[in-house]
Amino acid sequence: MKLISWNVNGLRACVKNDALGWITQEKPDFLALQEIKVSEDKIPSEIYNLGFENLDVNSGEKAGYSGVASLHNLKCATFKNLFFQENEGRVLQHDFNEISLFNIYFPNGQKDENRLNFKMEFYDKFLIYLDKLKKQGRKIIICGDVNTAHREIDLKNPKSNSDRSGFLPIERAWIDKLLSHGFVDTFRAINGDKIAYSWWSYRFNARAKNAGWRIDYFFISEDLRENLTNAFILDDIKGSDHCPVGIEINL
């Protein structure tokens, strides 16, 4: 199976800019979109012509803000907000067979201390929930915009960003903790210390200079490691300040 995740930073803008053509070429079995910024009743009609059988949406209550959508061909049960009650439309959980597959738009902590605390609470409750699922025998796949670069090789300028949310020690330590709880960063598992980014600021011509951050991930539980065959970043895809990331895995 090919699974791809992409923070589109506005689904209607992507459609308007004709930025979805690559999807029919890549033919993913599962496509996770974050920051769609649109309610379910206003999803552009073009989305229904991409060749997927199912569309699941969790929209934020605030218009033009947040939201996630999953397009897929799975026979699954889909859930929202099972571990963290919020109205920002950040989580879709898809359960099929013994797998729990998450499409998540993790909070950004840059605005102020309250938002950073919100982000860390979200992180912590999610990990508690993951541990619970693992004890139940679930195998887990997590994809989405995690809004944190894990290691210094995951952003262009680590020293100048060391005091900025997205690369704070407490945020990076949570990813350490996630891995210590039996999860695998798929891109690193396949590509080692390869330098690649998934987000670039719209300012300072950052994308042309490749001054980016790797903040979009696929994590899998350790019991799926042998099933993983590929992990990639499609950094040539435009249409957002993020680019798609993906994996190929035998399920």
Side-chain angles (χ1 to χ4, degrees), residues 6 19 22 26 200 207 234-240 242-244:
W6 189 24
W22 64 272
E26 288 288 335
W200 302 261
R207 189 156 189 171
L234 301 175
D235 54 12
D236 58 332
I237 302 298
K238 304 299 197 305
S240 169
H242 296 250
C243 73

Side-chain angles (χ1 to χ4, degrees), residues 34-38 58-68 81 84-91 105-108 111 115 118-119 122:
Q34 301 92 43
E35 207 171 358
I36 60 172
K37 298 182 179 180
V38 64
N58 187 4
S59 297
E61 290 184 5
K62 182 180 177 181
Y65 178 74
S66 192
V68 292
N81 304 340
F84 195 91
Q85 296 304 310
E86 47 86 18
N87 60 4
E88 297 182 358
R90 293 189 173 275
V91 182
Y105 177 38
F106 291 81
N108 188 314
K111 182 179 179 182
R115 288 304 291 183
F118 176 79
K119 177 180 183 179
F122 187 101

Side-chain angles (χ1 to χ4, degrees), residues 140-180:
I140 298 168
I141 302 172
I142 305 158
C143 69
D145 177 1
V146 180
N147 259 314
T148 294
H150 183 207
R151 298 164 54 193
E152 288 193 352
I153 60 173
D154 292 318
L155 70 166
K156 181 69 173 181
N157 299 303
K159 291 184 178 179
S160 61
N161 287 289
S162 60
D163 60 349
R164 176 183 176 185
S165 179
F167 197 59
L168 294 174
I170 56 171
E171 297 167 316
R172 299 169 63 194
W174 181 82
I175 298 182
D176 289 334
K177 189 175 182 181
L178 176 69
L179 301 183
S180 74

Side-chain angles (χ1 to χ4, degrees), residues 1-6 11 20-33 45-56 69-74:
M1 291 181 65
K2 181 185 289 187
L3 291 72
I4 292 180
S5 174
W6 189 24
L11 185 56
L20 303 179
W22 64 272
I23 296 171
T24 54
Q25 297 174 3
E26 288 288 335
K27 294 183 172 62
D29 300 287
F30 181 88
L31 176 63
L33 304 178
S45 60
E46 289 85 350
I47 299 303
Y48 297 94
N49 299 323
L50 293 174
F52 295 95
E53 296 177 6
N54 305 304
L55 170 65
D56 295 305
S70 300
L71 297 98
H72 59 89
N73 302 317
L74 303 173

Side-chain angles (χ1 to χ4, degrees), residues 99-137:
I99 306 289
S100 290
L101 169 57
F102 290 90
N103 171 10
I104 305 190
Y105 177 38
F106 291 81
N108 188 314
Q110 290 186 13
K111 182 179 179 182
D112 52 38
E113 186 175 352
N114 287 336
R115 288 304 291 183
L116 178 59
N117 291 337
F118 176 79
K119 177 180 183 179
M120 297 310 301
E121 182 184 4
F122 187 101
Y123 274 174
D124 291 341
K125 288 187 175 181
F126 183 44
L127 187 51
I128 291 171
Y129 184 62
L130 292 176
D131 286 340
K132 178 181 177 181
L133 290 178
K134 289 183 69 178
K135 288 180 180 178
Q136 295 172 356

